[in-house]
Amino acid sequence: MSVINELRMRPASAERRSWDASLAVRLALAVTVISTLLVGANLATPLYPLIQAELGLTPFAVTVAFASYVVALIGGLVLAGHWSDHIGRRAALVVAVVLGLLGAALFAVATSLPVLAAGRVLQGGAVALATGASAAALRDLLPSRPDWASRFTLMASAGGVAAGPVIGGLLSLLPAPTRTPFLAYLVVLASLLVPLVLLRARPAIKPADGHNPLTALRPRRPAVSREARRSFWTASSVGFLSFAVFGFTLSLAPTWFAGIAGTTSRPVIGLLAALVLGSSTVSQLLSPRGRFVVPVGLAGMALGVGLLPVAEATGSLPLLVAACVMAGFGQGMAFRVVFNDVSVKVAPALHAQTVSAVYVITYLGSAVPVLGLGAAAGIWGLNASVTVFALVVAGVCAVLATGSFAVRFRAAR
């Protein structure tokens, strides 16, 4: 069926010229779309000091621009997290790519905070639509391996977010550093529309009512089955803390890292900002196993985040790198397991909706604490605010690690 017919939720038609891609290609395409959209959403991370100076923004304005993306993403997950179940995975990903193109284009020409925020809102909507669609597509393609579907989902998410700052930092070495990265990205993202449009789409998993199909797209309250409720809240709590740290590293941290490293090199700043997420991605590849992976991961995250203020106080770049790697690797260990627990307990027909619900709470961690941190930085200064933020996050991680260890220890006995 054509993309237009899918969006209109019309019955399938003959597709003689469509591309019946293999399983491996479909898997790669689902992973590539979400990771590329996340790369674009985080290209600006090492450029924020430049953009801040160019547009005359305050630290709080930078967090507003960042949070506008997160707020749009959360709204998109609530409003459209279930759409791919009804219009099909392919159509949802096509719409997400188009929104991503519009958002990056606005960001490339932004001359004020409102335009910057508008671009971020479109990028947030793109990632929201693609998050549920790509995760559900991977689950559809690997029905007997939900653990691998979850792993691919987390690798694509963490890898895309981690690659964004690095690529942005490298592209910023070219002329017009606040424009060129986004123009280059537009070309790459537009190229993804070609295989998506040519692909022979699989039918929607929950076809809409033929008499009034648009009713299926109405916003729904996030719903989780009774069997998955405990796992859902565990994954959401770990996700909230994880993305509070990610949100910090992708918004205010570049300026903070630059002070510790004593450099203004954008590639170096981008690499430092990507360390936490890059380490999280590596943990998905190594996938440590064992009954106590979750408490050990949370303890590692607590220690890594807690060492960040120590790195700033001592001016130690090696300690900063070690703290970021420890926090990211621990986060990846813990979140992989708790996210997979949710995935395996949810029926395929509810997968996109449930994953979207997990990410609603998870992405709140990128908005609420980071906005508070930005406001606090304007009052008490960045160093003092980051110290309090890090100690609070580390403390909560330690509490969760202790609780998780107690539960697993009792189960082992």
Side-chain angles (χ1 to χ4, degrees):
M1 71 183 72
S2 69
V3 176
I4 300 299
N5 279 343
E6 288 174 73
L7 292 173
R8 297 169 67 186
M9 290 175 280
R10 294 289 181 85
S13 56
E15 294 184 290
R16 296 180 181 179
R17 298 183 181 180
S18 59
W19 173 36
D20 189 13
S22 65
L23 174 63
V25 171
R26 290 176 183 270
L27 286 170
L29 197 54
V31 168
T32 301
V33 170
I34 184 60
S35 58
T36 303
L37 286 169
L38 286 166
V39 165
N42 295 281
L43 273 179
T45 297
L47 308 179
Y48 277 131
L50 277 180
I51 295 171
Q52 184 176 350
E54 186 176 299
L55 302 184
L57 304 179
T58 65
F60 182 68
V62 172
T63 59
V64 167
F66 181 82
S68 62
Y69 158 78
V70 179
V71 170
L73 201 163
I74 293 170
L77 288 171
V78 173
L79 296 174
H82 61 292
W83 282 13
S84 73
D85 291 339
H86 305 291
I87 65 176
R89 314 304 186 201
R90 190 269 297 267
L93 293 177
V94 168
V95 175
V97 170
V98 172
L99 289 176
L101 287 169
L102 294 174
L106 273 184
F107 213 92
V109 301
T111 56
S112 64
L113 179 59
V115 178
L116 201 66
R120 296 292 284 164
V121 166
L122 288 170
Q123 288 180 325
V127 173
L129 196 53
T131 294
S134 63
L138 290 168
R139 175 72 183 270
D140 295 345
L141 294 168
L142 297 169
S144 61
R145 297 301 305 271
D147 56 329
W148 274 100
S150 298
R151 189 175 303 176
F152 281 137
T153 298
L154 296 179
M155 284 174 57
S157 300
V161 178
V166 177
I167 295 172
L170 292 173
L171 290 177
S172 71
L173 297 177
L174 299 173
T178 60
R179 302 284 183 266
T180 303
F182 302 101
L183 296 176
Y185 170 75
L186 283 170
V187 175
V188 174
L189 186 59
S191 67
L192 286 179
L193 283 176
V194 177
L196 281 175
V197 170
L198 294 177
L199 183 71
R200 180 177 299 173
R202 296 187 174 183
I205 196 168
K206 294 173 70 176
D209 180 8
H211 297 292
N212 195 6
L214 291 179
T215 57
L217 304 184
R218 288 176 178 172
R220 299 177 182 174
R221 290 191 304 172
V224 182
S225 63
R226 186 184 299 262
E227 297 78 13
R229 198 162 294 167
R230 182 174 179 179
S231 298
F232 168 82
W233 284 113
T234 301
S236 298
S237 300
V238 175
F240 183 93
L241 287 172
S242 302
F243 275 64
V245 177
F246 292 168
F248 162 66
T249 61
L250 296 170
S251 55
L252 292 176
T255 301
W256 194 70
F257 288 161
I260 299 173
T263 181
T264 58
S265 170
R266 290 185 292 275
V268 172
I269 294 171
L271 183 61
L272 289 173
L275 277 176
V276 175
L277 284 136
S279 301
S280 177
T281 305
V282 171
S283 76
Q284 309 303 324
L285 294 171
L286 299 179
S287 60
R289 297 182 181 277
R291 184 182 296 273
F292 298 102
V293 166
V294 174
V296 169
L298 287 169
M301 185 177 169
L303 182 58
V305 174
L307 285 174
L308 288 176
V310 181
E312 189 279 326
T314 59
S316 173
L317 180 59
L319 183 57
L320 173 64
V321 171
C324 288
V325 170
M326 190 180 302
F329 200 89
Q331 182 276 334
M333 287 174 60
F335 195 48
R336 174 181 61 83
V337 175
V338 295
F339 185 85
N340 186 60
D341 284 346
V342 177
S343 182
V344 299
K345 292 177 180 178
V346 175
L350 295 174
H351 193 266
Q353 187 176 353
T354 303
V355 167
S356 295
V358 170
Y359 274 109
V360 165
I361 299 174
T362 294
Y363 275 108
L364 279 172
S366 290
V368 178
V370 174
L371 276 173
L373 179 58
I379 301 173
W380 295 295
L382 186 58
N383 288 340
S385 301
V386 169
T387 298
V388 173
F389 168 80
L391 292 178
V392 170
V393 171
V396 178
C397 284
V399 170
L400 285 179
T402 303
S404 177
F405 178 82
V407 169
R408 283 162 172 75
F409 184 76
R410 286 197 299 268
R413 296 184 62 182

